[in-house]
């Protein structure tokens, strides 16, 4: 049994949850926007308006993908919970660009990275994600946790921090374990 899936999801004031029966789409609307998620056929999602909570369950009568149907229970609950947090508070990631001559800047809807290559790296900022560059910091924010985290990971992947000098793009909370390098004989 899923320990996460059994827990009800509290719905805060100002958030509306709608479930379309035909398309099996859960729509969460809050002060920061609207997010949508299509649930799998094995899952059941119900909104309890009296307690202001959402209850996820497994439809045992479906014969679709019998071996894995309970595996999606906790994932569905966590995804809907992340949607509610996203439309109320939002998600943010902060990246740091470290290195001599390493620069990040915005040009329209593109993030341009000059990180030691012979050419600049141009990355399109996805819809629903806001990117702000302040000095050597890149602030990425939005309502969708997956979009914010995915774009931050793609930016970091362009020049991962190296352990000798610490040059590269890293998360603000990330600690780079430094290596000593070569020591010349005495």
């Amino acid at each position: 049994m899923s320990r996460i899936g059994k827990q009800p999801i509290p719905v805060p004031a100002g958030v509306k949850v709608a479930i379309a029966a035909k398309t099996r789409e859960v729509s969460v609307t809050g002060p920061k926007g609207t997010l949508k998620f299509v649930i799998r056929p094995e899952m059941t999602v119900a909104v309890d308006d009296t307690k202001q909570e959402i209850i996820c369950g497994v439809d045992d009568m479906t014969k679709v993908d019998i071996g894995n149907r309970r595996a999606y229970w906790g994932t569905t609950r966590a995804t809907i919970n992340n949607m509610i947090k996203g439309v109320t508070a939002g998600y943010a990631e902060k990246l740091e660009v470290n290195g001599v001559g390493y620069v990040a800047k915005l040009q329209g809807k593109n993030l341009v990275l000059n990180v030691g290559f012979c050419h600049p790296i141009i990355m399109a900022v996805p819809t629903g994600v806001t990117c702000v560059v302040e000095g050597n910091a890149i602030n990425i924010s939005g309502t969708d946790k997956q979009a914010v985290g995915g774009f931050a990971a793609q930016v970091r992947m362009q020049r991962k921090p190296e352990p000798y000098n610490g040059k590269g793009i890293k998360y603000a909370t990330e600690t780079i374990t430094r290596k000593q390098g070569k020591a010349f004989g005495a």
Side-chain angles (χ1 to χ4, degrees), residues 77-149:
R77 190 246 182 231
T79 303
I80 295 171
N81 190 39
N82 289 339
M83 290 168 54
I84 290 175
K85 287 181 183 176
V87 297
T88 55
Y91 290 99
E93 289 285 348
K94 185 174 183 180
L95 300 170
E96 293 177 354
V97 180
N98 297 321
V100 177
Y102 285 17
V103 179
K105 59 185 172 185
L106 283 173
Q107 287 181 348
K109 295 197 179 245
N110 294 327
L111 177 66
V112 179
L113 302 170
N114 290 319
V115 286
F117 297 116
C118 63
H119 60 283
I121 297 170
I122 300 170
M123 300 182 71
V125 178
T127 56
V129 175
T130 306
C131 189
V132 177
V133 177
E134 299 169 345
N136 70 337
I138 304 170
N139 295 320
I140 301 169
S141 61
T143 57
D144 189 3
K145 184 176 185 178
Q146 186 175 1
V148 170

Side-chain angles (χ1 to χ4, degrees), residues 28-72:
V28 179
T29 305
K32 293 203 177 238
T34 302
L35 293 174
K36 295 181 180 181
F37 173 66
V38 178
I39 58 174
R40 294 183 56 90
E42 303 93 353
M43 302 305 304
T44 59
V45 177
V47 179
D48 188 359
D49 291 329
T50 59
K51 295 182 181 178
Q52 288 295 313
E53 62 186 18
I54 301 171
I55 299 152
C56 297
V58 178
D59 185 10
D60 289 328
M61 301 309 287
T62 0
K63 299 295 182 199
V64 179
D65 198 18
I66 291 175
N68 293 328
R69 82 176 92 125
R70 289 191 179 269
Y72 300 110

